[in-house]
Amino acid sequence: MSKRVLTTESGAPVADNQNSATAGVGGPILLQDQHLLEKLARFNRERIPERVVHARGSGAHGYFEVTDDVTAYTRADFLSAVGKRTETFARFSTVADSLGGADAVRDPRGFALKFYTDEGNYDLVGNNTPVFFIKDPIKFPDFIHSQKRDPFTGRQEQDNVWDFWAHSPEATHQVTWVMGDRGIPASYRHMNGYGSHTYQWTNAAGEAFFVKYHFKTNQGVRSLSAEQAAELVGKDANSHQTDLLQAIERGVNPSWTLHVQIMPAAEAAEYRFNPFDVTKVWPHSDYPLQRVGRLVLDRNPDNIFAEVEQAAFSPNNFVPGIGPSPDKMLQGRLFAYADAQRYRVGINHTQLPVNAPRNATADNYGRDGSMATRYGSRQDKNYEPNSYAGPAQSDAALAAPLAVAGWTGTHAAPAHVKDDDFFQAGELYRVMTDDEKSRLISNIAGGLSQVTRDDVIEKNLAHFHAADPEYGKRVEEAVRALRED
């Protein structure tokens, strides 16, 4: 077997990769050392801006297999037949911390999936919680700023975290989730995933349905206490990455069963709360879970940077039979996610192997921009319409149209009968065991007691009192006890 020869970027052999060229022995380095300059220049540029949120992530390849017939609800081809398999890439992440943060921290987890379908790539970008902190995207930058490092102290400040929540009562439900036992998953394999938002499915007859996605882990839900997490972070800050990598390398392939809740579109307007409010769940008693298929992850990335860091997900990557809903947070993400990837990775990020369609062909008029690799033939034009047999529109909408009416302007969310910010947080608290409640109270009080402003503490306590009197009373007593110590 012939020895491989190290070369420069242009393919020329490298004579010496250990010593820079100098003017004599021990002399200054020569500017003409092309190999040295190329290595340093590449090193300076070989990272891209990290994600503002979901920076710390892990990923794996696998497949999705349909186990149940859902063609009555959607004409999506990758869901069209029992037994059909679709290549999939999954990325899991923490939300608030930077790329260098630890895995075992109290934080929601991103649960992003890319399905390489025969009709193009379908991205489902969710979390390990079925709800979120806010319901309008105009608040999202402020929310993230409150959770990130303070611009003066350079660290996350409990004053900022709880001050924002004090002014955002709709966050009470998600705060109860994150501060509860599932706030620190034991691993990425041992947590559920949710689409969180409401999406639209459309069947072959044009009938529209609203859906919510639930990926139930087949490994069982396992979580860490605050004390267990602190110990694990000290031992291995990359604990979740380590676990996922080693499990798949051993052949212990993690899997999830996908269920959906399905609401006929006509029922949305009269539902007792706004079904497009991402701070609320649909009770299973109203819309039971229906099994769809299973997700299996069976191959680790060969290169973390190329396949995990450069992986770009956007919830506006739909396929025929699946579309958006009026969920305001989803509507904001349809723009923001794709735009973030254009900034981070570049306008041609969709041409990278991890992002490019695998079972369909991207055929459009995008030609130029940094790192473009898809040009077409010399006869192909870069405008449309044209007389040269270029690609043309299909005239077939991906999903059913949504009716809209009313005056333009900034509007509060439409009021339904049970549209308050607290009742579901109270319901979640009341289904917890006594031990789960005690840990929840301890987790909340641990952060809230560090807040320096009494009025911020009082506003947050009012939210917990409104969710459930016992919930509020216990948080108040726990905070008072910690502040008196």
Side-chain angles (χ1 to χ4, degrees), residues 70-76 200-209 320-322 397-400:
V70 290
T71 55
Y73 307 109
T74 179
R75 60 187 176 92
Q200 186 204 82
W201 277 5
T202 309
N203 65 17
E207 297 174 298
F209 303 86
I322 303 178
L398 297 184

Side-chain angles (χ1 to χ4, degrees), residues 129-355:
T129 59
V131 293
F132 195 60
F133 295 94
I134 53 176
K135 63 182 73 174
D136 194 305
I138 203 168
K139 300 180 71 171
F140 186 75
D142 300 295
F143 165 61
I144 294 301
H145 288 164
S146 75
Q147 310 296 303
K148 288 285 211 176
R149 298 175 187 271
D150 183 88
F152 172 65
T153 66
R155 65 185 187 184
Q156 188 184 58
E157 294 290 349
Q158 294 299 321
D159 276 347
N160 301 353
V161 170
W162 288 96
D163 186 37
F164 183 88
W165 288 342
H167 292 88
S168 304
E170 70 268 29
T172 308
H173 191 188
Q174 175 75 322
V175 170
T176 305
W177 269 92
V178 173
M179 294 297 174
D181 278 1
R182 297 194 183 188
I184 314 178
S187 79
Y188 290 132
R189 296 183 297 129
H190 294 93
M191 68 182 192
N192 293 336
Y194 303 89
S196 300
H197 297 289
T198 301
Y199 293 89
Q200 186 204 82
W201 277 5
T202 309
N203 65 17
E207 297 174 298
F209 303 86
F210 292 119
V211 300
K212 282 186 176 289
Y213 295 91
H214 301 248
F215 287 84
K216 300 291 188 178
T217 175
N218 294 324
Q219 292 69 237
V221 173
R222 287 174 49 194
S223 303
L224 301 173
S225 67
E227 294 76 19
Q228 290 171 324
E231 181 179 354
L232 182 58
V233 167
K235 292 179 178 178
D236 182 6
N238 305 303
S239 56
H240 289 30
Q241 163 69 17
T242 301
D243 176 86
L244 183 64
L245 174 74
Q246 293 182 349
I248 294 175
E249 289 297 293
R250 295 195 311 269
V252 182
N253 298 327
S255 66
W256 289 259
T257 299
L258 170 61
H259 301 264
V260 293
Q261 291 177 283
I262 299 176
M263 174 189 291
E267 297 181 12
E270 301 302 323
Y271 195 51
R272 63 182 183 276
F273 59 83
N274 180 3
F276 310 117
D277 179 352
V278 74
T279 68
K280 296 181 176 64
V281 298
W282 298 352
H284 293 182
S285 57
D286 292 348
Y287 298 100
L289 295 179
Q290 301 188 42
R291 193 176 66 175
V292 179
R294 68 185 185 121
L295 168 70
V296 179
L297 301 181
D298 58 6
R299 180 167 65 87
N300 283 309
D302 293 324
N303 184 286
I304 296 294
F305 178 79
E307 298 171 74
V308 178
E309 188 63 14
Q310 290 193 134
F313 300 87
S314 177
N316 64 4
N317 287 338
F318 292 114
V319 292
I322 303 178
S325 78
D327 180 336
K328 291 179 77 173
M329 276 298 295
L330 172 61
Q331 292 285 325
R333 294 175 83 201
L334 297 181
F335 163 75
Y337 269 60
D339 190 57
Q341 305 304 341
R342 295 184 191 106
Y343 161 71
R344 249 181 24 93
V345 191
I347 190 62
N348 289 306
H349 67 272
T350 55
Q351 297 179 27
L352 296 172
V354 71
N355 300 320

Side-chain angles (χ1 to χ4, degrees), residues 364-432:
N364 54 53
Y365 294 93
R367 292 290 185 272
D368 303 329
S370 177
M371 306 302 289
T373 60
R374 189 179 66 235
Y375 303 107
S377 70
R378 66 176 65 181
Q379 290 84 17
D380 286 343
K381 304 301 179 185
N382 65 345
Y383 60 89
E384 198 277 337
N386 62 59
S387 304
Y388 295 87
Q393 64 194 42
S394 70
D395 292 325
L398 297 184
L402 297 171
V404 295
W407 299 97
T408 61
T410 55
H411 303 286
H416 293 230
V417 177
K418 297 201 79 173
D419 262 335
D420 72 67
D421 295 320
F422 307 111
F423 79 95
Q424 287 202 349
E427 289 179 338
L428 178 58
Y429 174 80
R430 288 187 288 274
V431 299
M432 293 180 178

